[in-house]
Amino acid sequence: MFLRFLLLCLIFALPARAEEVVAGLSQNRVSITANFDGSEILIFGAVKREAPLPEGPLDVIVAVTGPSQPVTVRRKDRRYGIWVNVDSVIIDQAPSFYAVSSTGPLSEILSDVSDLEHRISVERAVQSIGTAFATDNPQDFSDAIIRIRTDKDLYQLIEGGVELSQDTLFSTSIDLPANLIEGDYTARIYLAREGEVVASYDTVIDVSKVGLERWIYNLAHERPLIYGLLSLFIAIAAGWGASAVFRLIKS
């Protein structure tokens, strides 16, 4: 009894969090079908308070992260009149998809220390610790993967994309491109005051292939021999069909 009483005293003695995130998504599951051409997810919520409104302006940052995996980045150079690979570096972890939306410029609403701790900016999300020992200019390779994936809409920075009303209600939309890989995508919401993260919330978005896409994917990975034979048969049938049509037209 004494231990239970002591535990209750400790719980009630803990200070209540000044602010918490209550959020929702327009969809928690994205299905990749044969005609999938991208999707849009609306992320919305509110700030729950159990204490007086803290001082300082409130900013909201929303980050959606796809599955991370190592990536090999190669640099080409012209040697003896031809382009060849001269350097290659393995980036430790790079998100397959990363989008950051915020109420304002990240450089103004987020300190470097908080960014380093939570890895919110695109540059922090790409982890390239091992590249420092592999090349003289490791940042060039990290910048290259960011530039390539930004051009493909896989990395997005939407400064000013979060709408915040009366320091309480917020919403933003994230466009998911057609070239997504399947897996668990994490949506994280950060509250920041004076450059410091004061609260966070995260949830998972399931991105998976369904229907014909799922069947072809499973066949290619689980039955590669059958997949190869089926592909060969389809190619032969298509060639024969095209030839037959051409003969009919010619005659």
Side-chain angles (χ1 to χ4, degrees):
M1 289 294 295
F2 175 74
L3 291 177
R4 183 179 298 179
F5 174 75
L6 181 61
L7 180 60
L8 290 174
C9 290
L10 290 174
I11 292 175
F12 286 110
L14 292 174
R17 294 185 61 180
E19 295 175 302
E20 293 184 16
V21 179
V22 180
L25 284 73
S26 59
Q27 54 180 327
N28 292 301
R29 180 182 178 87
V30 176
S31 299
I32 301 178
T33 60
N35 58 351
F36 179 75
D37 60 353
S39 182
E40 181 184 64
I41 290 183
L42 174 65
I43 302 175
F44 55 90
V47 181
K48 178 183 177 182
R49 298 184 177 92
E50 298 181 356
L53 185 67
E55 296 182 359
L58 175 67
D59 287 289
V60 180
I61 305 170
V62 178
V64 177
T65 312
S68 295
Q69 51 191 210
V71 179
T72 300
V73 182
R74 295 179 174 86
R75 182 174 64 187
K76 291 186 177 182
D77 196 7
R78 193 174 183 86
R79 301 288 174 86
Y80 307 107
I82 60 175
W83 290 95
V84 296
N85 294 325
V86 294
D87 286 317
S88 65
V89 164
I90 298 178
I91 303 296
D92 301 299
Q93 293 292 327
S96 57
F97 174 82
Y98 196 71
V100 181
S101 182
S102 60
T103 50
L106 282 183
S107 60
E108 298 179 6
I109 66 176
L110 187 67
S111 68
D112 291 337
V113 175
S114 288
D115 189 17
L116 180 61
E117 178 183 357
H118 298 278
R119 296 188 176 278
I120 297 176
S121 66
V122 177
E123 291 77 14
R124 296 295 187 189
V126 177
Q127 301 181 29
S128 54
I129 300 174
T131 58
F133 305 98
T135 179
D136 294 334
N137 300 302
Q139 190 60 41
D140 292 346
F141 292 87
S142 298
D143 293 342
I145 191 68
I146 293 174
R147 182 177 64 255
I148 292 171
R149 293 190 172 180
T150 299
D151 292 340
K152 295 180 179 180
D153 289 333
L154 291 173
Y155 286 178
Q156 305 172 17
L157 177 59
I158 316 166
E159 295 179 322
V162 176
E163 295 183 5
L164 179 62
S165 176
Q166 299 179 349
D167 277 356
T168 302
L169 304 177
F170 62 86
S171 65
T172 186
S173 59
I174 302 294
D175 291 325
L176 302 178
N179 51 343
L180 291 177
I181 69 169
E182 63 177 349
D184 289 337
Y185 286 60
T186 303
R188 292 188 174 90
I189 302 170
Y190 302 93
L191 303 182
R193 286 189 182 276
E194 297 181 345
E196 304 301 321
V197 173
V198 296
S200 64
Y201 171 90
D202 63 84
T203 186
V204 176
I205 305 168
D206 176 40
V207 177
S208 57
K209 295 181 174 68
V210 296
L212 180 62
E213 283 286 312
R214 164 57 60 185
W215 183 80
I216 294 175
Y217 179 86
N218 289 339
L219 185 65
H221 288 79
E222 298 175 6
R223 300 288 188 272
L225 178 59
I226 297 177
Y227 176 79
L229 293 175
L230 182 61
S231 300
L232 181 62
F233 172 76
I234 293 175
I236 294 174
W240 178 85
S243 177
V245 171
F246 179 77
R247 286 197 301 269
L248 287 175
I249 296 176
K250 189 175 181 180
S251 60

